[in-house]
Amino acid sequence: MTHIPNYDMSGKVCFMSGATSGINEQIARRFAQAGAKVFVISRSPDKVAATVEMLKGEGAEADGASVDARSFPDVEAAVAKCADTFGPLDMILAGQAGNFPAGAAQMSANAFKSVIDIDLLGTFNVFRAAVEKCTKPGASFIAITAPQATRPWIFQSHVCAAKAGVNMFVKCCAMEWGISGLRVNAISPGPIEGTEGMERLAPTEEVKQQYIEQLALKAFGNRDDIADAALWLCSPGADYVTGTILEIEGGCNLGDASTAMKL
Ligand code: NAP
Ligand code: COA
């Protein structure tokens, strides 16, 4: 008998932080298209409202709340609202992040703390609140990390430290929560075309080309590359996958490939 992957998320409930723009918004759209009920949080009420409307336009049940992921009580209240509205959480995605290029000797303590709090504490807050309200067994947790978690990077010490922490947090949760039938993974996108993150890290065409030259695949990725992977990670096809950092990076994870020779 042929085994066809099943990506039908009908009736499933998805809670997503930082899903009102960029990569994570596309993941939210993909889950909505697959039939899931989607609840999004981010700071801006306007971005939340626009994303909820977009998801409803995809035919999904959708809701959201304006929440700063750095506040545990606010995240906890949003998770409770999601569970009250839609039922226990089947998919949980922590995707919020902050980034700006700054040297370790130049940035303020508060600048460093802001990124640690948004990326790392925010991921803890989302997972910690959601684990109380998720489907056991069966729920799938995903954090969005970055190549900076494993590659040191100039002017990115804050992001490298935060995302390295996210990777370790994911792996620890996978070990602790597997016994309850929960899977915990991360997706690490490489440079993704047309996103806020790349606007900040590669603001000119010259810097962008230097960046591309270093990549094994010689191109930026797109938001669908990441959305498709997230859908798979939450599908039955990934039932045996936990504690994994899924690198969808065009080879960014491999190091500088700018001296590669064409065959
Ligand atoms: P983005 O468009 O700026 O998305 C960031 C999202 O997080 C927005 O929805 C933002 O909405 C929300 N957010 C920011 N601070 C928040 C906070 N304190 N509390 C709650 N929500 C908050 O970014 P992106 O470039 O698509 O990146 C998305 C994710 O992919 C990030 O985790 C990033 O580290 C990762 N990543 C991106 C790339 C890339 O090429 N772009 C590469 C590797 C990894 P509000 O402004 O409304 O809060
Ligand atoms: N270089 C150095 N320091 C910077 C900076 C920059 N480009 N931008 C902000 N900071 C510092 C601020 O000066 C402040 O430090 P201070 O109090 O010592 O002056 C600290 O960072 C916090 O800034 P603030 O604007 O109060 O933080 P915030 O919590 O409102 O915003 C940021 C968080 C700074 C990360 C902001 O860029 C943001 O909201 N980013 C979300 C979107 C994003 O980064 N997307 C890409 C994801 S990969």
Side-chain angles (χ1 to χ4, degrees):
M1 200 173 94
T2 319
H3 182 87
I4 309 281
N6 176 10
Y7 296 119
D8 182 6
M9 301 287 173
S10 300
K12 301 274 187 196
V13 176
C14 181
F15 181 91
M16 302 182 64
S17 61
T20 60
S21 61
I23 293 170
N24 305 320
E25 186 190 46
Q26 189 66 1
I27 300 174
R29 182 183 281 118
R30 186 67 82 257
F31 283 133
Q33 291 165 342
K37 303 170 195 173
V38 183
F39 193 102
V40 293
I41 65 166
S42 82
R43 294 166 302 175
S44 157
D46 290 347
K47 286 170 73 174
V48 170
T51 302
V52 168
E53 279 316 298
M54 180 275 290
L55 295 171
K56 286 180 175 169
E58 295 285 352
E61 288 183 58
D63 202 352
S66 164
V67 170
D68 191 321
R70 289 172 280 195
S71 163
F72 182 73
D74 293 351
V75 172
E76 193 177 35
V79 165
K81 187 177 175 209
C82 173
D84 289 346
T85 309
F86 294 140
L89 282 50
D90 299 295
M91 287 96 78
I92 299 94
L93 186 135
Q96 76 293 330
N99 196 354
F100 45 82
Q106 285 77 40
M107 79 177 94
S108 69
N110 193 42
F112 190 85
K113 182 177 184 300
S114 294
V115 172
I116 297 290
D117 285 357
I118 296 170
D119 292 26
L120 180 53
L121 179 64
T123 299
F124 170 84
N125 287 343
V126 170
F127 281 20
R128 177 67 185 84
V131 78
E132 304 273 357
K133 301 273 183 189
C134 71
T135 304
K136 295 188 191 89
S140 171
F141 289 69
I142 298 177
I144 303 298
T145 183
Q148 288 91 324
T150 52
R151 275 185 77 182
W153 207 293
I154 57 168
F155 309 133
Q156 288 282 278
S157 62
H158 45 336
V159 176
C160 291
K163 295 292 197 183
V166 168
N167 284 17
M168 266 303 171
F169 178 63
V170 159
K171 291 180 189 204
C172 292
C173 292
M175 288 186 81
E176 293 181 17
W177 298 350
I179 195 169
S180 303
L182 307 180
R183 297 184 302 106
V184 189
N185 294 287
I187 294 176
S188 181
I192 302 300
E193 191 74 56
T195 58
E196 180 66 27
M198 287 322 295
E199 286 297 317
R200 291 177 181 225
L201 292 185
T204 66
E205 193 53 35
E206 190 188 356
V207 176
K208 185 179 168 187
Q209 287 310 320
Q210 287 168 358
Y211 206 133
I212 286 174
E213 188 56 32
Q214 290 188 19
L215 295 169
L217 290 184
K218 307 297 177 206
F220 278 10
N222 63 59
R223 301 190 311 155
D224 287 326
D225 294 327
I226 310 305
D228 293 346
L231 188 63
W232 172 75
L233 256 187
C234 292
S235 78
D239 268 355
Y240 204 51
V241 182
T242 200
T244 291
I245 312 299
L246 184 54
E247 295 166 331
I248 304 174
E249 300 182 6
C252 190
N253 47 322
L254 304 173
D256 183 354
S258 57
T259 56
M261 286 182 292
K262 219 168 191 174
L263 300 176

